[in-house]
Amino acid sequence: MDVVVAGQGYVGLPLAVRAAEVGHRVIGYDVDTDRVTRLAVGDSYVQDVASSRLRAVLASGAYSATATADALAGFDIAVIAVPTPLRDGVPDLTCIRSCARTLGEHLRPGATVVLESTSYPGTTEEVVVPILEKVSGLKGGVDFQAGFSPERIAPGNKRWSFEGTPKVVSGIDATSLGVIRSFYDGIFQTTVPVSGTRVAEMAKLIENVFRFVNISLVNEMATLAKPLGVDVWEAIDAAATKPFGFTRFTPGPGVGGHCLPIDPLFLSWKIQQELGVPFRFVELADAVNRQMPDYVVRRLAEALDRQHIPVKGSRILLLGLTYKYNATDLRNSPSARVAELLIDLGAEVRGADPNIADDDDTKLNVPRVDASAVEVAAADAVVLLMDHTRFDLPMIEENASYVLDCRNRLSGPNVETL
Ligand code: SAJ
């Protein structure tokens, strides 16, 4: 089939390349012309899509990238995989609306549009379908099909492959569900049909609220166990030996990334809007997770104070600036907040992260240095924020005068854990 995947980021590009590999003619559409230029020459910027795979589908003609909306004419299926950020705590559907309008201009009778971008329950049927109908003059469920299928991209996850991760699918009606399920059955090993788009939209948010709340639980436990004199890490490891009814989460310097700090707030916003009541678990979890960078800085200040080193003028080295273990992505990373708080206290902060690509132009708020023995030894204190595989942990233990280890990976008389 002729497939359009609108949005060629960490969600859209893996889907576009996989759809091309299984035999569809795929157009990867993105409004970012720099991205399209890189894609057109087979240069992948997505961690889980090797450039060699991209070049292969380009060479076969199964995939092409474009920023030109007119190239989308004639699609059988279009998937919307565009960003859904929060703006001042409010869901921003600008990208979804704009994309729906563009697709509406090229929508033909018999075609199908699937939303994959994470949003609150009702987005597909209250926002996307009405725009498609208004722009195209066609009727959803009559002239065209539509539905929602949440993405489950787990960057760097080696255990679950893209096509091996079960895919929830839904439609605005039975015909739409049938077409959408058939499409994804050709790409994923397992599809999970549900009764409607709101169920699928809610399922996605439940997945991420579950993680968000449980991470905040262990984060708060970490801040309380320390003054109680309990090693929360050892206690979590012991709890994790329970073979049922427990999922292991670990404390950290905060919750970053493109999903966890954002998706749950889509749901709490919708509940507040529709029902006029707060989603208390999400609000509490957000408050706990947001204060973890402050807790890291407080622990660091106390440690420096014990060494009679004022924070002001101290030299601090942050190790691991991306948002999670072995990730290359800096979005919403807690390291930025930790650095900001330390700079406000007058510290001289440096950051080291071997996972940040040399051509990553994300503006950091600290000078980047190598994670070298010289830099480690020269710091008054080192903070291990993310325990990337590429860090030389024994070198850090050997050369640091003090380390605040936020991931419980180091040991030694000069090491404290979060
Ligand atoms: N984090 C902790 N403690 C934990 C787990 C995570 O502090 O026990 C922190 C991470 O350091 C990071 C943030 O939370 O800053 C988010 O971590 P994450 O593992 O949830 O990473 P994401 O954002 O890449 O989550 C994605 C999600 N995938 C989708 O939304 C489709 C999530 O649902 C997946 O479960 C997760 O990948 C995964 O398992 O890799």
Side-chain angles (χ1 to χ4, degrees), residues 151-155 157 204 208 211 215 248-252 254-260 263 323-325 334 386 407:
E151 54 93 1
R152 281 179 167 169
I153 302 293
N157 191 322
K204 166 65 182 177
N208 282 2
R211 283 182 77 72
I215 292 165
R248 184 177 185 274
F249 292 91
T250 54
V255 171
H258 38 73
C259 303
L260 269 284
D263 298 349
Y323 82 92
K324 83 169 179 179
Y325 166 73
M386 294 297 151
R407 307 306 291 175

Side-chain angles (χ1 to χ4, degrees), residues 10 42 51 55 75 77 88 194-195 239 259 263 314 359 376 382 388:
Y10 73 92
S51 292
R55 285 196 294 274
F75 66 81
I77 284 200
D88 303 325
V194 293
S195 60
C259 303
D263 298 349
S314 65
D359 62 356
V376 168
V382 174
H388 297 328

